[in-house]
Amino acid sequence: MNTDFSKEEGDCKTQSFSTRVIGCKYVTPDAYGAINYPVYRNAAFEFADSKAIAEAFQFRTDLHTYSRISNPTVTNFEEKVKAASGADNAMALASGMAAISNTFLTIAYAGSNIVSSPHLFGNTFSFFKFTLAEFGVEIRFVNTDHPEEIAAAVDENTCAFFAELLTNPHLEIANLPVISELLHKKNIPMIIDTTLIPWCGFDAKSAGIDIEVVSATKYISAGATNIGGVIVDYGSYDWKANRKLAALPKPKGMSRFMFKLRAEIARNIGACMTPDTASLQSLGMESLELRYRQMSTTAYNLAVYLSKHPKIKKVNYPKLESSAYKAISDHLFSCNPGAMFTISLESKESCYNFMDHLKIIRRSTNLFDHKTLIIHPESTIYGTFSADIKKIIGIEDNLLRFSIGLESEDDLINDIKQALE
């Protein structure tokens, strides 16, 4: 019986997104030729001798030692992320916030600063403004619509520029190619949260992104069955410019950033992705393009419909002619810009009344579940923030955020119509 299942794949660069992801080659062939990679639900791994285990712990081999550090099922998912994104390296973690926190704990240091838009997801804002501040890291907020503000804010202690690809829930889009050129002239890495647009709809590398952080809980998980996060390293930045990383060795096949992350920060923080989650994430990757195409198309069609409804003050979706970001959206994204949009009603009370009359759309947080979700951001995600902080972030109390799922477009329209009426 032939048990060598390590057949060569075709040229990945010429394959479509779904073909690359589904056909992603296993790092180590499965002994039984399993088409779906097995779940290695265990903590530790045995070695033949003392030299082999020592070399594994010292990053001289690709063998796994302990699942908090690495795991075959998690590695298989990371390989799919690399196939999807075209990145040099990827590391999977327990959540999107774990991806953000591990990234900045890797590169930030006391006396350093981060330049960012204040229009951020609530926990990201809190991590920068409060958590990192207690360790001596400064956050400098700028208007990313004006690159000259970024240029004025960065200095020799700037460890990174950070932004969300699409701000949540503002739906603003920074001109990343322009900002990337500015930053690279000043030798500063660009780190972007790309959660709202997956790799099948956006090429992060061509936009100049150095490090990408993603909440894999969203599109990738395929129906909100699990929580996960990913850090993606495109290998485009020379980390010798970072004081914290400059003296580190650069192992073969790994940047100084990824070495610091894997060998120290992620080990010490312990926010590892479980093998069961990685298996579900890998399955989610294989249907990602198909789901994204339908969800984002429905989102655009609903946004167009609602923009004409007399009871709605405003609809915000980057592809609408009314959006100030339509031109950059059309330039950066290969199809519709995501499955999230917002509407503004007369007041907070009218938002609550509308939400309470919905019958199909669920009142729930999260994004890009198979089910369509709605949330009132000001009273939920940002509910514990002071009025002054809400003003900085730019959250209004008459705003509702939709995350569009896989239901029938007509049924969603009818549900919204009856709730408005």
Side-chain angles (χ1 to χ4, degrees), residues 339-340 366-369 371-374 401-405:
M340 184 186 99
N366 200 22
L367 292 167
F368 318 130
D369 194 315
K371 305 169 186 68
T372 296
L373 311 175
I374 189 169
R401 186 189 78 182
F402 284 84
S403 166
I404 303 305

Side-chain angles (χ1 to χ4, degrees), residues 13-14 18 23 27 32 36 42 47-48 56 67 72 76 87 109 134 178 185 202 204 385 417:
K13 293 181 181 179
T14 65
S18 290
V27 173
Y32 298 99
N36 287 324
N42 58 289
F47 289 81
S67 282
N76 181 64
Y109 50 90
E134 293 180 347
V178 169
K185 285 179 180 177
F202 170 66
F385 290 172
K417 280 172 63 177

